[in-house]
Amino acid sequence: MKRLVILFVLVTIAAVTTIRDASAQATHLRISSTEGEFEEVKLFVQDAIVGQGLTINYNGNIGLMLGRTRAAVGNPKMIYKSAEFFLFCSATISRATMAADPTNISFCPYIIYFYELAGEAGKVYVGYRRPEIVGSEASKKALVAVDGLLNKIIKEATE
């Protein structure tokens, strides 16, 4: 009987942990996917950002870096066929965010990433890391606006 109780407790803990982890994964990122050529989707993301009146400050190429360093780190597996990101900011939204709480500087610049997995040719994922909605009511309102802007951009790029 004692073993059954211990087993029940362990299974319950494992289930709660799995549910909590799955829930955390579902909320800290927003990712959409679309069918198409990587370079075409990259242009859709770029157009969606520029269409909001924003300027892209930097285009990073994570896929090239991982491909270039895979032998050096002892892991030859190709993760992505292509993987990049755009760095940008919104003067209006960022100012409101930081005026509400100067530590909100940590949420700027914004990053939207896009990638095609090595084993899923023709399917491109577009996403971002969601800002944690924290602080005063003004801070929370501004961070919700950041999340809304980024969500609008990835939806436009993938529809």
Side-chain angles (χ1 to χ4, degrees):
M1 182 65 172
K2 187 176 179 181
R3 284 185 176 174
L4 284 175
V5 171
I6 291 171
L7 180 62
F8 176 76
V9 169
L10 290 175
V11 168
T12 302
I13 290 170
V16 169
T17 301
T18 302
I19 291 168
R20 186 192 71 226
D21 289 347
S23 173
Q25 286 179 339
T27 60
H28 77 286
L29 300 174
R30 279 201 205 252
I31 303 173
S32 292
S33 65
T34 188
E35 301 294 322
E37 295 295 320
F38 181 82
E39 289 298 323
E40 182 179 48
V41 175
K42 177 181 175 177
L43 287 174
F44 294 156
V45 174
Q46 182 177 342
D47 288 348
I49 293 168
V50 172
Q52 293 297 314
L54 306 170
T55 301
I56 296 170
N57 298 85
Y58 183 73
N59 176 201
N61 198 318
I62 300 166
L64 280 178
M65 181 274 298
L66 289 175
R68 186 178 61 249
T69 60
R70 65 188 175 149
V73 298
N75 188 343
K77 180 183 177 191
M78 286 293 294
I79 301 167
Y80 305 105
K81 181 177 177 188
S82 298
E84 297 184 34
F85 65 89
F86 287 134
L87 250 155
F88 60 97
C89 217
S90 164
T92 306
I93 294 175
S94 293
R95 176 167 286 282
T97 303
M98 290 172 226
D101 183 344
T103 63
N104 283 343
I105 192 171
S106 64
F107 297 109
C108 191
Y110 314 137
I111 299 172
I112 291 187
Y113 55 84
F114 37 100
Y115 61 89
E116 182 177 11
L117 295 172
E120 290 186 29
K123 185 173 185 179
V124 182
Y125 296 87
V126 180
Y128 66 94
R129 184 175 42 229
R130 297 182 71 195
E132 187 176 357
I133 310 303
V134 295
S136 67
E137 287 307 311
S139 176
K140 290 176 182 175
K141 181 179 177 184
L143 291 167
V144 165
V146 170
D147 188 51
L149 171 68
L150 298 174
N151 191 40
K152 183 176 182 179
I153 290 169
I154 71 165
K155 281 187 175 187
E156 183 179 322
T158 57
E159 290 181 346

